[in-house]
Amino acid sequence: MATKIRLQRHGRKDYAFYKVVVADSRAPRDGKFIERIGSYNPNTNPATIDLKFDRALYWLNVGAQPTDTVRSILSREGVLMMKHLQGGVKKGAFDEAEAQRRFDAWLKAKKDELIKVKEGDQKKQGEKVAALLKAEKETNEAKAKLLSEKRAAIAKAKAEAEAAAKAEAEQAEAPAQEEAPAAEAEGTPAAE
């Protein structure tokens, strides 16, 4: 039986996640499988991988062939590296302790690299957010300045309108006051 290590799709449209399964190569993609050895969620940043390391290594050693995507997942998790080191132990190039030491060093370097990438992403995201906040603050200041100028113009126009109305009212009262004394002056001699 030709055995494959492959992905089995689950989830909804535009939000797929996968189970890593060992299946007969003739079985349908989402059909019958022999064993589930992990899961893969590409929707998170970075992608979340949960893998049973020992079982994946066992299936590789007994001849299961991974698909291209699963091969990259196994490589990232170190299963292929451990298989390679076990081959060196079988050939007598080094002992089991040396293989484990090399694997631990490789794993530490891989984790450090992943942490560095995460920190870089967080730093870029922080810079992006800071730039957006700065741009928004500048836009808000420009809008506030424009609004204050409009309010000042409206207040000035209102003050001018009130001054003009007051001046108009005073002009309207002034001729009435001039006519009233003139009428009184005319009325007084006529009455006498």
Side-chain angles (χ1 to χ4, degrees), residues 49-99:
I49 299 170
D50 180 33
L51 189 68
K52 296 177 186 173
F53 187 88
D54 296 334
R55 295 305 296 166
L57 186 60
Y58 165 78
W59 281 106
L60 280 177
N61 285 333
V62 295
Q65 294 297 312
T67 60
D68 292 339
T69 307
V70 173
R71 181 180 301 279
S72 67
I73 290 170
L74 296 176
S75 176
R76 176 180 166 190
E77 293 298 306
V79 177
L80 294 178
M81 179 68 169
M82 182 55 89
K83 182 178 184 235
H84 173 73
L85 290 172
Q86 285 180 348
V89 170
K90 285 179 186 175
K91 291 178 184 175
F94 43 84
D95 62 348
E96 187 70 36
E98 176 66 17

Side-chain angles (χ1 to χ4, degrees), residues 16-133:
F17 61 92
Y18 303 90
K19 291 180 181 177
V20 181
V21 297
V22 178
D24 184 351
S25 62
R26 297 168 292 187
R29 178 193 72 182
D30 298 335
K32 187 175 174 183
F33 60 89
I34 299 168
E35 182 181 357
R36 178 177 177 222
I37 59 172
S39 64
Y40 168 61
N41 186 357
N43 301 308
T44 60
N45 186 15
T48 306
I49 299 170
D50 180 33
L51 189 68
K52 296 177 186 173
F53 187 88
D54 296 334
R55 295 305 296 166
L57 186 60
Y58 165 78
W59 281 106
L60 280 177
N61 285 333
V62 295
Q65 294 297 312
T67 60
D68 292 339
T69 307
V70 173
R71 181 180 301 279
S72 67
I73 290 170
L74 296 176
S75 176
R76 176 180 166 190
E77 293 298 306
V79 177
L80 294 178
M81 179 68 169
M82 182 55 89
K83 182 178 184 235
H84 173 73
L85 290 172
Q86 285 180 348
V89 170
K90 285 179 186 175
K91 291 178 184 175
F94 43 84
D95 62 348
E96 187 70 36
E98 176 66 17
Q100 189 62 40
R101 187 191 63 75
R102 287 183 184 186
F103 179 74
D104 291 340
W106 176 87
L107 194 60
K108 183 181 182 308
K110 190 77 166 176
K111 284 183 180 179
D112 291 344
E113 181 182 323
L114 190 61
I115 289 171
K116 196 179 291 184
V117 168
K118 282 183 181 179
E119 288 174 354
D121 286 347
Q122 288 175 348
K123 185 177 178 182
K124 284 180 185 177
Q125 188 69 19
E127 290 172 356
K128 187 177 180 181
V129 168
L132 288 173
L133 287 174

